[in-house]
Amino acid sequence: MNQQLLCVTGLPRAGSTLLCQLLGMHPAIASSGHSSPLLPALGQLRHHLSDNTFLLAQLDVDFPQAYARLLNAFRGFMQGWFAETAQPVVVDKNRGWLNQLDLAVLLEPQCRMLVCVRELGQIIGSIEAQHQQTLLLDFPDHLAGQSRYGRANKLMGDSGVVGEPLQAIAAMQDMPPALQQRVYYVVFEHLLHDPVAVMRDIFQWMGLEPWLIDPQQLPVKPHESDSHYRYKYRHATQSRLQPVQQHTTPARIQQELYTHFDWFYATFYPGLTATRSH
């Protein structure tokens, strides 16, 4: 690729839409802010070609040449995907990148990844608050008939909207150190508290020229579809940084989050963990 790939991923309701909005303020970064179909397209292409009998025959005859063709084709697909912009950094937002950093690096050796995280009780509270405003619409995975505890349990399960990317974040510790160094964790609360400092550090980590953002004058672009997720996970953008509502999560749910995901709190919220221990 002619550009550096910046994957934006992480937990839902953790600020990825806002982060993409802020990234797009840097003149070197192309960021639409929308979730991207690029990674699913690459996955489908890999699946289709892996089952193609003609390709399998070519691999048998000359594996190095056939595999090199695959690599060149995949890289060409990615380059074509971003051909409309000449900006040196392109953002691709998709939660699936959490499990595919090695693929991203293979296809674009200079790629980096930003992973958005947020206190888990506030994520559950945010989803529940939005559900209460849209009670006549079901979740895509049909959680409306569950109790608050039941919804939280499903959301945090291994295949849940929150639990699945959370498990992927946990699995990142198994990646080689060279790959882990390409990952920058963006803590939602830090981003909201001091967006200027957080974005300054991200731009520096990316090796970009310094660029001062103004959180009171944010560019607003058409946001991605909310109906796809039945309006349970809104993606609206604002022209200025807005205070985020603090949600009250039932004590039983919050305590179970602390217990079952203690590694998450120890990693990203050690101060909160220390406060609870006294």
Side-chain angles (χ1 to χ4, degrees), residues 13 27 36 40 55 91 102 105 116-117 123-124 135-136 143 150 156-157 163 175 183 190 213 245 251:
R13 315 308 305 154
S36 167
L55 174 65
V91 172
D102 48 2
V105 172
C116 298
V117 298
I123 293 179
I124 295 298
L135 283 172
L136 298 182
L143 302 181
M156 299 305 301
M175 295 188 305
V183 178
H190 295 172
I213 66 161
Q245 178 186 356

Side-chain angles (χ1 to χ4, degrees), residues 12-58:
R13 315 308 305 154
S16 62
T17 298
L18 172 61
L19 179 59
C20 287
Q21 190 179 13
L22 296 173
L23 287 168
M25 298 179 73
H26 196 291
I29 300 178
S31 175
S32 71
H34 294 181
S35 295
S36 167
L38 173 61
L39 179 59
L42 292 171
Q44 291 175 12
L45 182 60
R46 176 168 60 181
H47 177 81
H48 173 76
L49 289 174
S50 296
D51 289 341
N52 186 279
T53 55
F54 292 105
L55 174 65
L56 295 177
Q58 290 188 4

Side-chain angles (χ1 to χ4, degrees), residues 202-218:
I202 290 175
F203 295 149
Q204 182 179 21
W205 177 72
M206 288 289 299
L208 298 174
E209 292 294 323
W211 191 262
L212 184 64
I213 66 161
D214 183 353
Q216 300 308 313
Q217 295 187 30
L218 303 179

Side-chain angles (χ1 to χ4, degrees), residues 2 6 18 27-28 88 93 108 112 141 164 189 201 205 212 231 248 252 278:
N2 297 326
L6 178 59
L18 172 61
K93 185 177 80 163
E108 202 292 274
R112 301 287 185 95
D141 42 358
E164 186 172 16
E189 291 79 2
D201 292 344
W205 177 72
L212 184 64
Y231 286 83
T248 301
R252 178 167 69 126
H278 289 85

Side-chain angles (χ1 to χ4, degrees), residues 5 7 12 93 97 109 126 141 152 169 210 225 232 263:
L5 177 66
C7 301
K93 185 177 80 163
W97 284 120
S126 174
D141 42 358
I169 292 173
S225 171
K232 304 301 181 181
W263 65 267

